[in-house]
Amino acid sequence: MVGTVGYDTIETATGSREGILGGSATYFALGAGFFWPVSMVAVVGRDFSPDHRQWLAERNVDLRNLTVGEGPTFRWQARYDATLAHRHTVAVQPGVFASYQPRLLPDQCRADHLFLAGLTPTIQGSVLRQTHRPRIVAAGTIEHSIADYRAELLSALTEFNLLFLNEEEALMLADDNSLLRAGRALLGRGPQVVVITRGEHGLWQFGADGIFVAPAWPLEQTVDPTGAGDAFAGAYMGYLARQGRLEPATCRPAAVYASVLASFAVEDFGCERLRSLTWGEIDQRYRDYLALTDQHRPRWIAP
Amino acid sequence: MVGTVGYDTIETATGSREGILGGSATYFALGAGFFWPVSMVAVVGRDFSPDHRQWLAERNVDLRNLTVGEGPTFRWQARYDATLAHRHTVAVQPGVFASYQPRLLPDQCRADHLFLAGLTPTIQGSVLRQTHRPRIVAAGTIEHSIADYRAELLSALTEFNLLFLNEEEALMLADDNSLLRAGRALLGRGPQVVVITRGEHGLWQFGADGIFVAPAWPLEQTVDPTGAGDAFAGAYMGYLARQGRLEPATCRPAAVYASVLASFAVEDFGCERLRSLTWGEIDQRYRDYLALTDQHRPRWIAP
């Protein structure tokens, strides 16, 4: 997976954290590592803490290609509104990420599964050209790149088997105000599966098997939604990598496991909850989710 | 069921209708009639159209106790915002409903299933005293009565086996900002089941079997949300009446059928879609809903 590793400063109505470990690659890797080994392609500065490198290494994350550049680590500062539904980016200091050109290692070029976190279409293309036909190529988008590169992103959708975006991004990218139409339109642009995450309102997944709708795990309180989408994509891709194919029997449980991971991610600031999380907790919440959504289909309805 | 029958004037961003058939009893009866006969207790004025009486009679609705009072039929005028998430009541003219004291017929007093639409606690109490131990007593609330009678409504919750409310009503009645805490608190006040409808975001149901979460049927466009909650409650109660008991194996499919009915209700203004609706369409959408929400649970997870 290719993405960002950085230090985040996050303010919500209930608290704040300064300079905590973040970045799309971090959340993705923490989510994926529960299911399958992850090999990370990213850059940090000389100020990156050896402790943080150690945290990731202990979580099934291969860091051979987490390169150290000349300059400071990527930094991002954001503030959420009281409902946590909207966030405002206060400051971005790209640091070493500004001039970063990902170079995959030989074994990474031959990976079966590739995830590109919200990168510019140019960098996405440069990474894709280094690979040798991965079985599944997935991308996550960020609002910023949709605003600046909408046409390029749309025409690049044929390159992806799987696309992850949130509701706002899907509406913006499809330029529609109906999520149903937006999802169908994006699916028609090339990907085999389009996964639209809706935060506390669950997810809509569009694929060859039609639409899959799943509610979110109900939480009393969300502490910090940062990284939930990346942890979701990580768990989803990790599950796919473990199970094999891009088919309904795999993509639907992948989406449910991904929702479970995301529900943990938002329980604390940054990646604090993902760091303390155990497989036992994931397994329990997955089973609880099945019970919570069990419709007790009447016997007289054919399966 | 006891509630209102009236004429509504509704404005949305996309259109408007003047003086169309509405009222909680109308929507409830149209939803319930697909599952079980409904006996309606309500009042109209001399201006009530014989055609509308005929519409209801054709839909499995017993109108012996739809009395005709001296004065005009209940009228209500409302305007929705562009997202349809909020509505503003422009005018209410209670007409004959202002002095209405429901009197049940002898067979209605012995009904097994009773639904009280958003009535004041005083009228609810007066109806309950006329009945002989129904097996299931259910109530729907309206924001207006929560604002005016919160304490009475809370203490009356012990009288109900089943409570239907929407998200805003649940938060207001429980005086909480977490829907999970609110649902649990209301369940603790007496009802065996608390059903919280969330519009396009589905429903949360609280009961002895824990929480049941179900997404809404995805729609390209909602035309008019008026009456969706009452049609939901009608279908739910109709299903319960047909199936028998207040237990998870009945309440969960009841909630799904109710969601399906509500999804049809919002496809057109007022009760226009419910009038043209057929059982074949309901059955098909229920089956499609099962497919849409099927999680393809992996075989290695125990049932």
Side-chain angles (χ1 to χ4, degrees):
Chain A
M1 77 84 48
V2 187
T4 56
V5 173
Y7 287 122
D8 295 348
T9 294
I10 295 161
E11 292 168 62
T12 71
T14 57
S16 65
R17 291 290 185 281
E18 211 180 309
I20 57 174
L21 180 61
S24 58
T26 302
Y27 288 104
F28 180 93
L30 288 173
F34 283 104
F35 298 88
W36 204 249
V38 200
S39 195
M40 184 188 273
V41 181
V43 67
V44 291
R46 295 220 179 271
D47 56 344
F48 192 67
S49 154
D51 284 355
H52 294 153
R53 190 174 275 270
Q54 186 61 24
W55 289 7
L56 292 167
E58 283 166 4
R59 284 297 191 174
N60 222 352
V61 185
D62 160 24
L63 300 171
R64 291 171 300 145
N65 205 351
L66 177 60
T67 55
V68 180
E70 288 300 330
T73 300
F74 181 93
R75 284 180 183 266
W76 176 73
Q77 185 177 350
R79 188 178 297 142
Y80 287 90
D81 70 359
T83 66
L84 298 172
H86 301 285
R87 79 172 169 217
H88 165 64
T89 295
V90 179
V92 183
Q93 295 163 310
V96 289
F97 192 72
S99 57
Y100 180 53
Q101 296 290 339
R103 291 274 166 267
L104 308 196
L105 302 175
D107 60 301
Q108 290 175 332
C109 296
R110 294 188 304 271
D112 274 339
H113 302 90
L114 175 68
F115 180 75
L116 303 168
L119 306 168
T120 64
T122 314
I123 298 187
Q124 282 182 350
S126 129
V127 172
L128 277 172
R129 280 189 299 276
Q130 298 174 51
T131 60
H132 301 296
R133 300 192 192 159
R135 288 168 60 193
I136 302 178
V137 178
T141 59
I142 50 169
E143 272 180 59
H144 163 260
S145 76
I146 296 179
D148 293 349
Y149 308 100
R150 184 168 169 268
E152 293 92 323
L153 280 169
L154 278 175
S155 59
L157 289 184
T158 51
E159 312 261 20
F160 305 126
N161 305 101
L162 191 51
L163 179 67
F164 295 95
L165 11 63
N166 68 30
E167 183 167 2
E168 292 70 38
E169 291 166 343
L171 296 174
M172 201 190 297
L173 188 56
D175 191 22
D176 204 321
N177 58 15
S178 153
L179 195 61
L180 200 55
R181 282 195 303 262
R184 285 173 176 151
L186 295 175
L187 188 70
R189 288 282 193 156
Q192 272 100 73
V193 181
V194 174
V195 190
I196 301 176
T197 51
R198 311 184 72 196
E200 61 163 325
H201 300 308
L203 68 94
W204 287 11
Q205 174 168 287
F206 296 76
D209 59 322
I211 307 173
F212 171 51
V213 174
W217 174 259
L219 287 169
E220 258 190 39
Q221 203 195 350
T222 293
V223 172
D224 173 17
T226 308
D230 297 309
F232 178 99
Y236 195 114
M237 287 293 284
Y239 185 89
L240 279 191
R242 190 168 77 175
Q243 296 295 319
R245 290 190 288 179
L246 205 63
E247 58 185 18
T250 314
C251 288
R252 291 188 174 200
V256 175
Y257 271 110
S259 297
V260 166
L261 260 287
S263 76
F264 282 114
V266 303
E267 286 183 353
D268 205 343
F269 276 97
C271 54
E272 290 174 26
R273 185 70 183 92
L274 292 178
R275 277 193 63 222
S276 69
L277 189 61
T278 64
W279 175 256
E281 289 175 309
I282 296 169
D283 185 55
Q284 185 58 53
R285 189 169 288 182
Y286 181 79
R287 286 164 198 271
D288 290 346
Y289 182 94
L290 295 182
L292 184 93
T293 55
D294 183 350
Q295 293 162 10
H296 288 288
R297 171 191 302 219
R299 267 166 304 168
W300 39 268
I301 290 279
Chain B
M1 77 86 48
V2 187
T4 57
V5 172
Y7 287 122
D8 295 348
T9 295
I10 294 162
E11 292 169 63
T12 71
T14 57
S16 66
R17 291 290 185 280
E18 210 180 310
I20 56 174
L21 180 61
S24 58
T26 302
Y27 288 104
F28 181 94
L30 288 174
F34 282 104
F35 298 89
W36 204 248
V38 201
S39 195
M40 185 189 273
V41 181
V43 66
V44 291
R46 295 219 178 271
D47 57 344
F48 192 68
S49 152
D51 283 354
H52 294 154
R53 189 174 276 271
Q54 187 60 25
W55 289 6
L56 292 167
E58 283 167 4
R59 283 297 192 174
N60 221 351
V61 185
D62 161 24
L63 300 171
R64 291 170 300 144
N65 206 349
L66 176 61
T67 55
V68 180
E70 288 299 332
T73 300
F74 182 92
R75 284 180 185 267
W76 176 74
Q77 185 177 351
R79 189 177 297 142
Y80 288 89
D81 71 359
T83 67
L84 299 172
H86 301 285
R87 78 172 169 218
H88 165 64
T89 294
V90 179
V92 183
Q93 295 164 310
V96 288
F97 192 71
S99 58
Y100 180 52
Q101 295 292 340
R103 291 275 166 265
L104 307 196
L105 301 175
D107 60 303
Q108 290 175 331
C109 296
R110 293 188 302 273
D112 275 338
H113 303 90
L114 175 68
F115 180 76
L116 303 167
L119 307 167
T120 64
T122 312
I123 297 186
Q124 281 181 351
S126 130
V127 172
L128 277 173
R129 280 190 298 277
Q130 299 175 49
T131 61
H132 301 297
R133 300 193 192 160
R135 287 168 59 193
I136 301 177
V137 179
T141 60
I142 49 168
E143 272 180 61
H144 162 260
S145 77
I146 297 179
D148 293 350
Y149 307 100
R150 185 167 169 269
E152 293 92 321
L153 280 170
L154 277 176
S155 60
L157 289 185
T158 52
E159 313 260 19
F160 305 126
N161 304 101
L162 191 51
L163 180 66
F164 294 95
L165 13 63
N166 68 30
E167 183 166 4
E168 294 69 39
E169 291 166 344
L171 296 173
M172 202 190 298
L173 188 56
D175 191 22
D176 204 320
N177 58 14
S178 153
L179 194 61
L180 200 55
R181 283 195 302 262
R184 285 174 176 151
L186 295 175
L187 188 70
R189 288 282 192 158
Q192 272 101 71
V193 181
V194 174
V195 190
I196 302 176
T197 51
R198 310 184 72 196
E200 61 163 324
H201 300 308
L203 68 94
W204 286 10
Q205 174 168 289
F206 295 75
D209 59 322
I211 307 173
F212 172 51
V213 174
W217 174 260
L219 287 169
E220 260 191 38
Q221 201 194 352
T222 293
V223 173
D224 173 17
T226 307
D230 296 310
F232 178 98
Y236 195 114
M237 288 294 285
Y239 185 89
L240 279 191
R242 190 169 76 175
Q243 296 296 319
R245 291 191 286 180
L246 205 62
E247 57 186 20
T250 314
C251 288
R252 291 188 174 200
V256 175
Y257 271 111
S259 297
V260 166
L261 261 287
S263 76
F264 282 115
V266 303
E267 286 183 352
D268 205 342
F269 276 96
C271 55
E272 289 173 27
R273 186 69 183 92
L274 292 178
R275 278 192 62 223
S276 68
L277 189 61
T278 64
W279 174 256
E281 289 175 309
I282 296 169
D283 185 55
Q284 185 59 53
R285 190 169 288 182
Y286 181 79
R287 287 165 197 271
D288 290 345
Y289 182 93
L290 296 181
L292 184 91
T293 55
D294 183 348
Q295 293 160 11
H296 287 289
R297 172 190 302 217
R299 267 166 304 168
W300 39 269
I301 289 281

